[in-house]
Amino acid sequence: MRIMLQMILLLLLAGRLHAQDPLTKMFQNYSLAKSDDALFVHFDKNVYSNNETIYFTGYLLAQDLNRHNVLAVALVRDADSLVLSHRKFAMSGGIAFGSLAIPDSILVGSYHLLAYTNITVNGKPKVVFRQPLSIKSGKEPSFLATLKIVKAATEQQKINHVLLSVTSNEKRFLPKPTAVTYSYNGKTVATKTDGFGQVALQLPVIAANQQYLKLKLKYEKDSSFLSIILPKPKYSASVKFYPEGGNIINGVVNSIALEAKDEHLAPVSLKAILYENEISIDTIETNSYGIGKFHLLAKAQNVYKLKLVHSQFIDSNYLLPKIINSGIALEIQKPVCNDTVVIIARANKKQNVWLRVHNFKESFLYAPVSLSSKQSLKIPVNFKGLATVTITDSLNRPLAERMIFGGYSSKQQLTLTTNQKQYQKRKKVELNIKLNDTNEVAIVSIACVQENRLEVSKMNDIQSYFYLYNQLDQLPASGSLNALHNMEYVNSILSVKGWRKYTWNEFITSADQVKPPIDSLKITGQVIHDSDKPIKKTVSIISLGSTNFLQLYTDNAGNFNLPLNETTTPFNKKLYLFIADKNGSTDKIKISDDYEKQNLLLSKSPSYFTLQLPSTLVNSEELKLSSKEKILQLKEVTITKNNSDFFSSKFGANGCGDYVCTYNILNCPNHIGDPKNREPIAGQTYLVNGKQTLYPGCSVEKTQGYTLVNGLSIAKEFYVSDYKQTEEPAYFSTLYWNYLNKIEKNKTAAVEFYTGDITGKFKIIVQGISKGDFIYQEQLIEVKE
């Protein structure tokens, strides 16, 4: 009866006392001091090949959306932090969209896409987003390479014996040695393979957590990267304990979470024995995320320790945290909840406390509670996302704390319906999208991609990112496309993430915190003499290549700011700056681009939102596409009468970025960066959207003394083809992409596209934003012979 009265009292007080929280002003101050601005970018997939185009849509959450007007995106190679490509795109109302071409010459391996906006705090971008990806090859490489540990290090001989083997594509010996450069323990060594195509390495065990071996191989014109994490002899695991509420309380039953990781900080699934004064009292198991849970009636006079049952680890005892004599132990059996959450509070003495449910920005509930022994408190939930249950004393000092996720619902926000589940090649797919939730409208991006181009370990979605990854640090991979829909995963991580990245003391002193200055990235320039000395006059500068004519004037020292909003260029085209009144002088323009500087800085210090181990690749065959995806690259070039300028043209694109593919299509969207592309000739006709079009030529080629600038780019429109031209192959892993699709409540949005020549399973992914929420839904279709 007492418990029921307590629950009813709390429900009555919840709404009435919300406005009376004495810390309301502190929540407001803290919200201003600790910005929750965040950026998410939806990329069409996370496995690409050379010549493909990366399509994306950026979604920004910010206190002042209007200040963020540029989205910068860069492609970075993980092996050496090299920035291979970068573009800038206009952002408006917190949304930006764009595309990035992958060059044909790119090496296969692990990469990541780096995205950020123009707003900076203390010289660094305020919001940064990273998406790991893999680049594989559709071409047959000139060699295959494998790494193998032939003899692992032991306690007696702490040396790992590693064998590198390089063969031809047919698994035969190569006629010449392969150049090998490997890095280990801060040293770089150059060597070559022997007559059998092998290199034997003897690498001593080092003290660092990760024994990471990286190799770069080069044979004739082809290069490849391999890497491996070397094993150690037995070592101690990383084991941490997380009592619910924060402390282990004497004389009551405590709910305690356990997290186990290996030397690389990767989760470990194992068994462990709990001891009380050297007597075994419980067996505990961790799941695939390395997290387990147990209950303990703690007694302050006893010693509690854990011993792991795992052959990989050194026998070690892990002592539990110190038991305190008074306090509050919390337990929440279902921290992921919808409209109510039940909290079990245990205390070893009667206490009058205050209970808050908040997210450090606002207080959702504030109520007095009288605790004694074990009590169940049923709390209404009127929010969605992560929140913290904090119990304080009368002086607002925290006694216990626990994180929950409220407003969780398994109801689908969108309904995706296709006219069929299975399709033949080059057939129409009719997709209907309907908004199910209470929102009136949603803005989404839509992708239909080959399922094997979505690596689960690299997958990220807008819901999981904004609700989990951006809020919590160092999370294990969920093993699913949408982490938020994996209940076991969310429950597990909340049990070990009882405290936010900010502390209660920071929150209490938030009124004293000074808000850091906010600035914006810029592109500036200076006109200087050929001798690099500054000029002493005003100069006029004009541009070519942008959609609008741009003319600006320098100051008396030749300095100028480049207005980015007037530098927009079509996709994959270039912007050229000229000195208008040069008159034979040797003056030149020097550009300083803040975005290029940030690319270099950010590429050197990756910090992923989830725990990312070093990318390891022990066999170069893993970076080859399946045989059915290689036909486009291996198909022979057929020269027809429409290719009359084939032998008279230069290969590649001209100064304006224009090119003609082997099918005589001008700026063909399916062959960006193809080495067989050729420069178009002025006066010749080429196919553009199925029609013969006269090419006028490129005026930039005739102009000298220009300076190239990376201005704003216009996104390339995705080319939706019906593939009626049977002579052109259709081996495309992305069947459809579109951005800024408006989905209205009670209305069905219809989308049409066609399957290509690749068979297998394809995933339709729709994600975006609605008023106050994030949208994610997926659907599977299959293409058969």
Side-chain angles (χ1 to χ4, degrees):
M1 184 67 181
R2 178 181 175 83
I3 294 175
M4 183 60 67
L5 289 174
Q6 184 71 43
M7 292 165 57
I8 295 173
L9 175 63
L10 195 55
L11 287 169
L12 291 173
L13 291 174
R16 184 167 62 88
L17 292 183
H18 170 73
Q20 299 178 14
D21 192 336
L23 302 185
T24 298
K25 185 63 176 177
M26 290 185 180
F27 282 114
Q28 295 173 353
N29 292 336
Y30 196 74
S31 179
L32 294 173
K34 291 288 185 181
S35 170
D36 280 340
D37 292 4
L39 172 69
F40 173 83
V41 184
H42 173 199
F43 294 95
D44 60 322
K45 53 197 175 192
N46 56 43
V47 178
Y48 295 88
S49 68
N50 42 6
N51 295 334
E52 286 194 308
T53 300
I54 300 170
Y55 297 94
F56 57 85
T57 303
Y59 300 93
L60 175 71
L61 287 185
Q63 294 176 347
D64 187 357
L65 291 176
N66 294 329
R67 300 190 67 167
H68 299 259
N69 49 46
V70 176
L71 176 68
V73 179
L75 177 62
V76 182
R77 186 164 63 200
D78 291 344
D80 53 8
S81 301
L82 180 66
V83 179
L84 286 97
S85 179
H86 59 96
R87 293 286 177 182
K88 308 179 190 74
F89 302 88
M91 173 170 275
S92 177
I95 295 180
F97 49 89
S99 51
L100 206 63
I102 299 177
D104 174 72
S105 58
I106 195 168
L107 296 178
V108 295
S110 297
Y111 292 75
H112 70 272
L113 288 158
L114 171 68
Y116 56 94
T117 70
N118 57 296
I119 297 302
T120 62
V121 176
N122 294 325
K124 297 180 180 179
K126 193 174 185 182
V127 291
V128 178
F129 180 85
R130 299 174 191 267
Q131 172 64 52
L133 59 90
S134 298
I135 292 183
K136 300 186 177 183
S137 176
K139 301 177 182 178
E140 289 294 335
S142 60
F143 66 88
L144 296 176
T146 58
L147 271 176
K148 183 180 180 181
I149 300 172
V150 293
K151 185 178 181 182
T154 64
E155 288 288 341
Q156 293 73 31
Q157 293 185 336
K158 296 185 177 181
I159 296 178
N160 282 297
H161 296 259
V162 181
L163 182 66
L164 168 69
S165 300
V166 184
T167 66
S168 70
N169 214 23
E170 296 79 23
K171 306 292 179 69
R172 300 175 183 272
F173 291 139
L174 292 170
K176 295 188 295 185
T178 302
V180 179
T181 304
Y182 68 90
S183 300
Y184 181 74
N185 195 20
K187 297 179 181 180
T188 300
V189 179
T191 184
K192 292 182 179 180
T193 55
D194 60 20
F196 297 99
Q198 297 181 337
V199 174
L201 302 176
Q202 296 184 16
L203 305 172
V205 173
I206 58 178
N209 280 342
Q210 295 170 351
Q211 298 188 112
Y212 194 31
L213 171 65
K214 297 192 295 184
L215 301 94
K216 181 179 180 181
L217 315 178
K218 184 173 179 58
Y219 183 79
E220 294 182 342
K221 294 183 179 180
D222 283 349
S223 298
S224 182
F225 289 95
L226 293 179
S227 57
I228 191 171
I229 297 178
L230 300 180
K232 285 183 179 181
K234 284 188 176 183
Y235 56 89
S236 297
S238 170
V239 176
K240 294 183 179 180
F241 300 96
Y242 298 89
E244 281 196 66
N247 295 293
I248 301 179
I249 310 302
N250 181 39
V252 301
V253 174
N254 293 263
S255 174
I256 304 171
L258 160 71
E259 185 178 33
K261 297 180 181 180
D262 64 14
E263 62 169 337
H264 310 299
L265 300 182
V268 179
S269 178
L270 48 73
K271 287 185 178 181
I273 308 299
L274 178 64
Y275 290 88
E276 181 182 47
N277 293 338
E278 305 300 331
I279 299 175
S280 171
I281 61 172
D282 199 359
T283 300
I284 305 160
E285 294 186 10
T286 61
N287 56 21
S288 59
Y289 312 115
I291 298 171
K293 188 177 179 180
F294 62 97
H295 291 84
L296 175 66
L297 176 57
K299 300 174 183 177
Q301 68 273 20
N302 294 338
V303 176
Y304 299 91
K305 64 182 180 182
L306 202 72
K307 187 175 182 179
L308 305 185
V309 182
H310 200 287
S311 60
Q312 182 180 352
F313 302 123
I314 298 172
D315 292 335
S316 300
N317 294 323
Y318 298 89
L319 293 176
L320 269 63
K322 183 180 178 180
I323 299 172
I324 64 174
N325 289 322
S326 63
I328 299 170
L330 299 181
E331 182 178 2
I332 303 178
Q333 295 179 344
K334 294 182 179 180
V336 181
C337 55
N338 185 10
D339 54 2
T340 56
V341 61
V342 177
I343 300 175
I344 299 175
R346 298 183 177 96
N348 53 17
K349 65 177 182 179
K350 186 174 181 180
Q351 301 179 62
N352 294 320
V353 297
W354 291 86
L355 183 144
R356 285 182 178 85
V357 180
H358 61 93
N359 62 0
F360 286 98
K361 294 184 294 184
E362 60 179 311
S363 177
F364 304 112
L365 182 145
Y366 175 65
V369 180
S370 179
L371 293 180
S372 61
S373 186
K374 175 183 176 182
Q375 294 175 247
S376 296
L377 308 175
K378 189 174 183 180
I379 298 176
V381 172
N382 57 352
F383 57 88
K384 182 168 185 177
L386 292 175
T388 301
V389 177
T390 304
I391 295 179
T392 64
D393 60 15
S394 59
L395 299 178
N396 294 316
R397 293 176 298 191
L399 303 175
E401 196 167 81
R402 176 65 156 92
M403 190 175 289
I404 62 174
F405 189 101
Y408 186 89
S409 174
S410 58
K411 180 183 176 182
Q412 294 184 348
Q413 297 167 303
L414 292 176
T415 298
L416 306 183
T417 308
T418 54
N419 57 325
Q420 297 174 218
K421 294 297 182 183
Q422 295 181 345
Y423 297 85
Q424 292 179 322
K425 295 178 180 179
R426 304 196 178 204
K427 296 299 181 182
K428 183 190 290 186
V429 178
E430 297 177 4
L431 171 66
N432 291 325
I433 306 174
K434 186 178 179 182
L435 188 64
N436 295 333
D437 63 5
T438 57
N439 294 298
E440 297 295 328
V441 65
I443 302 296
V444 299
S445 45
I446 306 170
C448 180
V449 302
Q450 196 174 357
E451 189 180 37
N452 65 5
R453 295 296 193 96
L454 296 169
E455 289 186 2
V456 174
S457 62
K458 295 180 172 64
M459 192 62 190
N460 189 22
D461 67 276
I462 193 168
Q463 288 182 331
S464 303
Y465 181 76
F466 280 124
Y467 283 130
L468 295 178
Y469 297 145
N470 187 56
Q471 301 282 338
L472 304 173
D473 295 326
Q474 296 294 299
L475 301 184
S478 68
S480 54
L481 291 183
N482 182 268
L484 197 63
H485 289 178
N486 186 338
M487 288 287 288
E488 182 190 8
Y489 175 75
V490 181
N491 278 316
S492 293
I493 62 174
L494 288 185
S495 67
V496 298
K497 296 290 181 181
W499 299 272
R500 289 270 185 146
K501 52 188 173 183
Y502 312 130
T503 66
W504 185 263
N505 289 335
E506 272 190 281
F507 165 68
I508 293 296
T509 59
S510 58
D512 303 326
Q513 297 180 22
V514 178
K515 201 170 183 179
I518 294 178
D519 202 352
S520 181
L521 300 174
K522 298 180 286 293
I523 297 180
T524 59
Q526 184 182 23
V527 177
I528 58 176
H529 292 307
D530 193 44
S531 60
D532 290 340
K533 292 183 179 180
I535 65 171
K536 297 180 180 180
K537 61 179 181 179
T538 298
V539 176
S540 173
I541 295 175
I542 59 173
S543 71
L544 274 180
S546 61
T547 54
N548 298 315
F549 176 76
L550 169 65
Q551 182 174 18
L552 53 87
Y553 295 89
T554 70
D555 60 16
N556 291 332
N559 299 306
F560 64 92
N561 289 320
L562 189 66
L564 262 180
N565 59 330
E566 297 183 40
T567 65
T568 304
T569 57
F571 174 75
N572 236 28
K573 296 298 182 70
K574 302 172 183 177
L575 178 69
Y576 302 82
L577 294 184
F578 303 87
I579 301 174
D581 51 355
K582 198 167 185 179
N583 295 326
S585 72
T586 57
D587 295 343
K588 58 185 179 182
I589 302 173
K590 183 173 71 173
I591 295 294
S592 176
D593 190 334
D594 287 348
Y595 295 89
E596 293 184 0
K597 296 174 185 176
Q598 289 296 336
N599 288 339
L600 294 175
L601 291 173
L602 293 171
S603 66
K604 301 293 183 183
S605 56
S607 176
Y608 298 136
F609 45 84
T610 54
L611 175 61
Q612 296 289 334
L613 296 177
S615 300
T616 58
L617 182 71
V618 296
N619 192 328
S620 61
E621 281 194 285
E622 296 176 31
L623 291 176
K624 292 166 55 179
L625 296 175
S626 61
S627 58
K628 61 186 177 184
E629 295 185 69
K630 299 177 187 175
I631 302 175
L632 180 63
Q633 287 85 357
L634 299 176
K635 195 175 181 69
E636 292 184 2
V637 178
T638 303
I639 303 174
T640 65
K641 63 180 181 179
N642 291 329
N643 294 65
S644 58
D645 61 323
F646 185 85
F647 291 105
S648 59
S649 296
K650 299 177 182 178
F651 285 97
N654 62 17
C656 295
D658 297 323
Y659 60 91
V660 180
C661 76
T662 57
Y663 298 95
N664 213 48
I665 300 173
L666 179 66
N667 297 329
C668 175
N670 299 327
H671 296 93
I672 296 171
D674 194 315
K676 298 186 289 290
N677 290 344
R678 64 190 189 279
E679 295 185 13
I681 297 176
Q684 294 286 346
T685 58
Y686 304 98
L687 284 173
V688 178
N689 295 327
K691 297 179 180 179
Q692 291 289 341
T693 304
L694 183 71
Y695 182 66
C698 176
S699 59
V700 175
E701 294 172 329
K702 303 175 183 179
T703 310
Q704 300 296 323
Y706 58 79
T707 299
L708 282 175
V709 178
N710 188 350
L712 288 182
S713 295
I714 296 177
K716 181 176 85 83
E717 293 293 332
F718 184 86
Y719 179 60
V720 180
S721 174
D722 55 10
Y723 304 120
K724 290 181 178 178
Q725 297 179 342
T726 56
E727 70 276 5
E728 183 176 359
Y731 295 95
F732 307 114
S733 59
T734 298
L735 297 181
Y736 184 76
W737 168 263
N738 208 345
Y739 50 84
L740 295 185
N741 293 270
K742 185 178 181 181
I743 314 295
E744 296 182 85
K745 188 179 180 181
N746 299 325
K747 292 184 180 181
T748 300
V751 173
E752 294 182 354
F753 55 92
Y754 289 79
T755 61
D757 291 338
I758 297 178
T759 58
K761 294 181 180 180
F762 285 77
K763 182 81 72 174
I764 299 171
I765 292 181
V766 180
Q767 55 184 331
I769 56 175
S770 62
K771 187 177 181 181
D773 207 353
F774 307 104
I775 305 292
Y776 177 88
Q777 195 61 46
E778 59 186 65
Q779 175 80 9
L780 193 67
I781 62 172
E782 188 174 7
V783 180
K784 292 195 169 185
E785 291 286 353

